[in-house]
């Protein structure tokens, strides 16, 4: 499979809450070489991969935007299932919960619930998100999504810019996309090494904290109505990420 095709698949993975881009890199056998080359600022061999990722993000972003506009509750329910199931992969390999870890998780949940903002809208936004939020969101999400087990899209949900980016993709808002892209470049160049070292050193504490953030931020994805189809879509999204995390766990062990 060439890098372009792998990039398109990675783009789809990165858009979905709960899916770890870093783990996908491991599955495709790209992670170690990619990290080494990124540290050396050697990106030329990965230009086809980057192009594929961008294409995958745009294709999946437009698809999700269309589906959300027409089936809002079903889409939110699916994404909620994906998001909650991702806690399994975030906590993979961590020690069992104790009082300290529980406190960290509760703190993360409270912060996530406060920070996440309004429910996803994917359109008709009355309040514009600042360029600073887009820039920081791009930096943190990109750096986080390269770390195996961490879903970068969850960072965007936490910061309240996940739906904004979908709208920007659908409407080809060049300014928003450029600001986000600039943040993504900074996250890759400057923050990746720092976050990787912190995660390696404080993996358990950060994992429980991030699991709490995910749980707290999920309040932005509660559907407005409940029905059997809505619940079924939630179960499908949950199962998709939950069972894919079994594959992710195997890849993390192999790494």
């Amino acid at each position: 499979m060439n890098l372009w095709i792998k990039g398109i698949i990675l783009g789809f993975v990165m858009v979905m809450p709960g899916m770890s881009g870093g783990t996908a890199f491991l599955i495709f056998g790209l992670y170690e070489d990619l990290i080494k080359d990124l540290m050396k600022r050697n990106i030329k061999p990965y230009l086809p991969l980057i192009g594929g990722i961008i294409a995958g993000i745009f294709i999946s972003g437009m698809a999700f935007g269309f589906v959300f506009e027409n089936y809002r509750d079903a889409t939110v329910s699916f994404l909620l299932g994906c998001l909650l199931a991702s806690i399994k992969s975030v906590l993979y390999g961590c020690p069992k919960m104790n009082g300290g870890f529980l406190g960290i998780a509760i703190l993360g949940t409270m912060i996530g619930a406060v920070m996440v903002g309004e429910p996803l809208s994917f359109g008709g936004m009355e309040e514009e998100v600042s360029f600073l939020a887009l820039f920081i969101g791009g930096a943190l999400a990109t750096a986080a999504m390269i770390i195996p087990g961490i879903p970068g899209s969850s960072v965007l949900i936490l910061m309240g810019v996940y739906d904004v980016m979908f709208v920007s993709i659908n409407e080809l808002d060049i300014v928003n996309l450029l600001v986000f892209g600039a943040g993504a470049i900074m996250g890759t160049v400057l923050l990746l090494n720092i976050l990787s070292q912190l995660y390696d050193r404080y993996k358990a504490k950060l994992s429980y904290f991030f699991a709490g953030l995910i749980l707290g931020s999920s309040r932005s994805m509660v559907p407005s109505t409940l029905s059997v189809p809505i619940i079924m879509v939630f179960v499908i999204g949950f199962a998709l990420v939950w069972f894919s995390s079994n594959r992710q766990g195997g890849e993390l062990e192999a790494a």
Side-chain angles (χ1 to χ4, degrees):
M1 187 185 301
N2 62 40
L3 287 179
W4 170 259
I5 300 299
K6 289 181 179 179
I8 292 177
I9 297 173
L10 284 166
F12 275 84
V13 168
M14 290 176 178
V15 165
M16 290 182 59
M19 303 297 281
S20 167
T23 305
F25 282 118
L26 278 174
I27 292 172
F28 284 134
L30 297 170
Y31 185 77
E32 291 187 11
D33 290 339
L34 176 66
I35 295 300
K36 290 177 182 177
D37 286 334
L38 285 177
M39 298 302 181
K40 298 175 182 177
R41 310 292 191 265
N42 180 27
I43 64 171
K44 186 176 180 180
Y46 301 98
L47 291 179
L49 180 73
I50 295 171
I53 290 174
I54 293 173
I57 289 174
F58 268 86
I59 294 170
S60 55
M62 290 181 177
F64 264 110
F66 173 80
V67 173
F68 188 95
E69 185 177 352
N70 293 278
Y71 307 99
R72 191 264 178 197
D73 281 346
T75 307
V76 167
S77 182
F78 176 80
L79 295 176
L80 177 62
C82 293
L83 188 67
L84 292 179
S86 71
I87 293 176
K88 177 183 178 182
S89 63
V90 170
L91 295 179
Y92 183 84
C94 290
K96 291 183 178 180
M97 181 176 287
N98 56 31
F101 289 145
L102 177 61
I104 292 172
I106 292 174
L107 176 63
T109 302
M110 294 171 62
I111 293 175
V114 171
M115 287 184 61
V116 72
E118 297 301 318
L120 295 184
S121 61
F122 282 71
M125 294 173 294
E126 298 179 359
E127 183 178 350
E128 293 292 332
V129 174
S130 69
F131 289 150
L132 180 61
L134 288 175
F135 184 85
I136 295 175
L140 293 178
T142 304
M145 73 174 54
I146 299 178
I147 300 174
I150 300 298
S153 54
S154 300
V155 176
L156 299 182
I157 294 171
L158 176 66
M159 297 192 64
V161 299
Y162 184 75
D163 48 352
V164 176
M165 290 312 302
F166 268 118
V167 173
S168 298
I169 290 172
N170 280 309
E171 297 181 354
L172 291 179
D173 189 328
I174 302 300
V175 176
N176 279 357
L177 294 175
L178 286 176
V179 172
F180 184 86
I185 293 173
M186 191 196 78
T188 303
V189 173
L190 298 180
L191 297 182
L192 175 59
N193 189 35
I194 297 173
L195 287 180
S196 295
Q197 290 182 8
L198 286 174
Y199 194 70
D200 288 341
R201 187 171 182 179
Y202 304 105
K203 181 180 185 298
K205 292 179 180 179
L206 287 177
S207 294
Y208 276 101
F209 180 73
F210 199 80
L213 289 178
I214 291 174
L215 184 61
S217 65
S218 66
R219 77 175 184 86
S220 70
M221 290 189 168
V222 177
S224 59
T225 60
L226 279 181
S227 63
V228 173
I230 297 299
I231 295 173
M232 289 179 62
V233 172
F234 169 84
V235 172
I236 291 172
F238 188 93
L240 177 66
V241 174
W242 183 270
F243 290 110
S244 71
S245 67
N246 294 332
R247 172 76 181 273
Q248 293 178 10
E251 296 295 336
L252 289 172
E253 285 184 347

